[in-house]
């Protein structure tokens, strides 16, 4: 699943991008905390594409593999010596996903924007929008987690501050571990 995201917030303490260029990086899903789509002026046609991209990210997250390092005793002769051992495990929590727009001419009120987002999220079914901001209007909308039906909260004050606060809060809730490249490359080095 190849997809491009405007801004990726990723872990560089325990992991790194797979490839770096001046204009683009390539990330494995395991290292991604959040993905942000950025639009100058957002239109109705942009919402469907953005939600499709979010759906792809969420689908990829179901295949995330990490590794835990530990030690075990390796018996050689009569002496046990500790050696590094690894254990692969999955975490299927999806990265947090956002939409950041500077302006819109497609909606006159936050209620019409919220209604359109809600209908689009219902139609898409597999996307989750952790936050959407329209900076020039001062709008901030986010989707409530774990609801039976799509539920959105909206605000018309402090949109940028609300966006940053929600983003910071949300990425702190994503546990991060060293990624397991074994699952991608099928290479092991004598460790379990």
């Amino acid at each position: 699943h190849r997809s491009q995201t405007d801004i990726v917030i990723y872990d560089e303490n325990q992991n790194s991008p797979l490839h770096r260029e001046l204009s683009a990086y390539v990330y494995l899903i395991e290292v991604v905390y959040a993905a942000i789509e950025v639009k100058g002026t957002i239109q109705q046609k942009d919402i469907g594409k953005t939600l499709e991209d979010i759906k792809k990210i969420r689908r990829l997250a179901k295949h995330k593999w990490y590794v835990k390092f530990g030690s075990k005793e390796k018996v050689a002769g009569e002496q046990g010596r500790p050696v590094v051992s690894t254990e692969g495990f999955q975490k299927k929590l999806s990265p947090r996903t956002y939409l950041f727009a500077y302006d819109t001419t497609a909606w006159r009120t936050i209620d019409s924007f919220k209604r359109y987002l809600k209908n689009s999220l219902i139609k898409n079914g597999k996307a989750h929008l952790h936050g959407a901001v329209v900076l020039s209007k001062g709008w901030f909308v986010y989707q409530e987690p774990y609801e039976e039906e799509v539920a959105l909260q909206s605000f018309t004050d402090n949109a940028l501050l609300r966006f940053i606060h929600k983003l910071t809060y949300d990425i702190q809730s994503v546990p991060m571990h060293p990624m397991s490249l074994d699952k991608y490359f099928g290479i092991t080095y004598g460790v379990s």
Side-chain angles (χ1 to χ4, degrees):
H1 299 239
R2 286 186 293 184
S3 190
Q4 180 179 327
T5 300
D6 295 317
I7 298 174
V8 173
I9 299 173
Y10 67 97
D11 172 61
E12 198 165 40
N13 291 325
Q14 302 178 77
N15 299 291
S16 67
L18 190 59
H19 180 72
R20 297 176 197 231
E21 291 183 3
L22 288 176
S23 62
Y25 286 19
V26 176
Y27 305 92
L28 294 176
I29 192 66
E30 285 86 352
V31 308
V32 178
Y33 284 115
I36 306 169
E37 289 294 322
V38 179
K39 303 291 179 194
T41 301
I42 190 157
Q43 302 298 326
Q44 289 182 352
K45 64 182 173 116
D46 299 323
I47 300 294
K49 167 89 171 72
T50 297
L51 295 181
E52 279 300 312
D53 289 345
I54 288 171
K55 184 166 72 172
K56 289 177 187 176
I57 290 170
R58 294 179 68 80
R59 191 169 45 235
L60 282 173
K62 304 306 176 211
H63 304 283
K64 296 190 321 183
W65 279 91
Y66 297 95
V67 64
K68 283 191 256 189
F69 293 94
S71 68
K72 66 179 179 181
E73 284 198 16
K74 184 172 184 167
V75 178
E78 294 189 24
Q79 287 187 350
R81 300 185 107 178
V83 295
V84 173
S85 68
T86 61
E87 178 184 339
F89 65 98
Q90 275 193 288
K91 290 266 185 186
K92 297 181 180 183
L93 186 63
S94 299
R96 304 322 191 203
T97 49
Y98 304 89
L99 172 60
F100 188 99
Y102 291 98
D103 198 6
T104 187
T105 56
W107 301 277
R108 291 184 181 198
T109 67
I110 193 167
D111 290 332
S112 61
F113 179 60
K114 182 177 166 181
R115 200 168 31 254
Y116 192 87
L117 278 178
K118 181 175 181 174
N119 290 335
S120 297
L121 284 160
I122 290 168
K123 181 179 175 184
N124 183 285
K126 297 288 184 185
H128 184 93
L129 193 59
H130 290 87
V133 66
V134 180
L135 205 52
S136 69
K137 306 279 188 182
W139 299 345
F140 180 69
V141 178
Y142 73 90
Q143 186 175 353
E144 291 280 353
Y146 305 113
E147 295 293 327
E148 291 290 321
E149 296 181 17
V150 173
L152 299 176
Q153 296 295 323
S154 59
F155 302 90
T156 57
D157 66 323
N158 299 312
L160 182 58
L161 182 59
R162 288 183 185 277
F163 173 78
I164 292 168
H165 179 265
K166 180 90 168 57
L167 173 70
T168 304
Y169 180 85
D170 288 348
I171 63 175
Q172 290 174 8
S173 70
V174 178
M176 190 55 65
H177 308 278
M179 65 182 157
S180 173
L181 292 173
D182 293 353
K183 298 297 177 185
Y184 288 100
F185 303 130
I187 299 172
T188 58
Y189 295 99
V191 290
S192 59

